[in-house]
Amino acid sequence: MKSDQTVLILDFGSQYTQLITRRVRELGYYSVVLSGDSSLEKIQNHHPVAILFSGGPASVYESSSPQLDSDFFAYQKEKNIPVLGVCYGLQLMVHHLGGKVVGADHREYGRMKVIPQGASILPSTPFYSWMSHGDETKEIPKGFQVTAKSESGALVTIENLERKCIGLQFHPEVTHTEHGILILKNFLENTAGLKPSWKMTSVRESQVKEIKEQVGPEDHVICALSGGVDSTVAATLVHEAIGNRLHCVFVDHGMLRYEEANRVMALFEKELKLPVECIDASETFLNHLKNVEDPEQKRKIIGEQFIRTFEKFSEKLEKKLGKKIKYLVQGTLYPDVIESNPAPHAGEDKKSGHHAVTIKSHHNVGGLPKDFKFKLIEPLRDLFKDEVRLLGKELSVPESFLERHPFPGPGLAVRIMGEITADRIKVLQKADEIFIKSLHEYGLYSKIWQAFAVFLPVRSVGVQGDGRTHDHVVALRAVTSHDGMTADWYPFESSFLADVSNRICNQVNGVGRVVYDVSSKPPATIEWE
Ligand code: XMP
């Protein structure tokens, strides 16, 4: 996905790097994330028109902290590329340009008032920002000036406009910072002098062209459809590029929602003009997952079994077509890529490419087996979920697909805590179905980003009729979100929760208690595993 105006985000390990990228895109600029310690050559290859440094958990003065290429600032000066450093990014700028960063007496975490003093990209009056840092700038580099302070007089922003370098100690990308978007907009428009130019029509055109170039004129491609937005949009895009040389498969791994396989196949037939074959591989998947409790292991097993199933499907197809299948389409999204392999943190071996904070191995990124025989086509690899929905609209994918809540590839496997058994799947499917049906009934489904039930392998005491019960617990989860990167629990009316709880306890054998999850992301994640 190329653009003649790339805004580069250099990632130094902040969990908010993706948010910076999103904000820049929301403002209409194509943005790419690179690891902060990328070589200058790699950075130059993107021909960036502006560069942002993310925050990060390390301290710039530690020898093992992620550092910029030593020639970076010479290049930046020569090309006069505007740079905005956020938190660790500010400190990195100070450190590299001759200033001094030291450990602060106490960590600063949370809301803080900013008092601007003639800053070029901040509002002129005080506002609240969000901070998270343990180091502070003791000396600023030559040519820089302090352009905002905190109420206690601590340095908050610095700039050297001649050099086009600006540093912010707070995070403009998080919603807790007032005017955060405006500050980023001011940097891109005023400091960098850019005009927004990135739209979904350009994504469609460039992706179709890229797929045509990647896949030869005679090559056939397979695609696994999950019934969700991502794979459907990815397949539609590839179909637009190569027509009926695309062959889709829907794998029933036995951990789908209630009646999901039948429903999805009916949707594909009626609403999409894509030929799809359904493979029931549930027995194989469940056999491989017997006695497995560890969430990462579950994901890896499922990832591998998916690939084995695709291989069988492609072998059958190869016999029929009399030619090799080289490509597999996946609906991998940008957050999957970033969350599965974030930037290095202090103390990591950068050469080995090993990064410490892998939040989860998403099955389609972290879980691919070593002997993987396909080349991947991942047309959504640069997009966030809401951007995929926009692209789907652009491609006339029916609303019924675009409106569906996201469903993770490993399915109910990551919603059954502990071991997965056929009985547990049945219980969860029923409870989940009641919850989702109730959301539709109450007109709440489209107000929620994602909702589901979770099976907890604990038993709690209850009383039913005249007897004591000792049944399982089901947790309900419903969140609002823009992209799955951050999320808030949905504030249901208590009458709705009471109704759903009643229905589940009365209609699902083996469930004696229903609880509602009131955790946001962060600190929790959306899924329970
Ligand atoms: P978390 O739980 O990381 O979820 O907050 C964010 C979004 O990603 C989905 N998710 C997955 N999707 N394979 C997928 O295809 C996975 O392994 C996976 N894990 C989480 C999750 O449902 C939510 O929409």
Side-chain angles (χ1 to χ4, degrees), residues 293-356:
E293 292 194 0
D294 176 64
E296 271 302 284
Q297 217 188 332
K298 283 183 190 174
R299 276 194 157 74
K300 297 240 151 105
I301 291 171
I302 291 168
E304 167 151 11
Q305 286 313 309
F306 261 121
I307 300 299
R308 299 294 167 238
T309 315
F310 301 153
E311 282 169 357
K312 279 191 200 138
F313 172 71
S314 88
E315 277 159 24
K316 210 172 81 184
L317 204 61
E318 281 171 354
K319 273 194 196 136
K320 190 171 139 199
L321 297 168
K323 59 169 64 192
K324 281 256 164 262
I325 308 272
K326 285 190 255 166
Y327 297 99
L328 172 76
V329 181
Q330 288 215 125
T332 313
L333 302 190
Y334 208 28
D336 304 345
V337 177
I338 300 172
E339 283 207 349
S340 290
N341 198 13
H345 288 62
E348 289 172 11
D349 177 0
K350 290 172 212 153
K351 285 198 189 83
S352 74
H354 172 74
H355 303 329

Side-chain angles (χ1 to χ4, degrees), residues 369-442:
K370 288 198 179 69
D371 57 343
F372 186 60
K373 77 163 202 172
F374 300 106
K375 286 186 191 149
L376 288 180
I377 298 178
E378 298 180 308
L380 314 179
R381 206 181 157 82
D382 285 342
L383 299 181
F384 289 93
K385 192 97 185 178
D386 50 344
E387 292 176 327
V388 173
R389 288 208 168 101
L390 289 177
L391 181 60
K393 263 197 190 142
E394 172 72 32
L395 289 160
S396 309
V397 171
E399 286 288 330
S400 49
F401 273 97
L402 299 180
E403 278 171 5
R404 300 191 96 209
H405 286 177
F407 186 69
L412 303 184
V414 291
R415 296 176 180 174
I416 294 173
M417 302 299 96
E419 197 196 344
I420 298 154
T421 65
D423 283 348
R424 289 178 172 186
I425 293 175
K426 271 198 205 119
V427 167
L428 183 57
Q429 281 177 331
K430 280 191 194 152
D432 185 74
E433 174 70 1
I434 291 170
F435 184 30
I436 300 298
K437 258 194 174 161
S438 308
L439 289 176
H440 282 295
E441 222 178 275
Y442 279 75

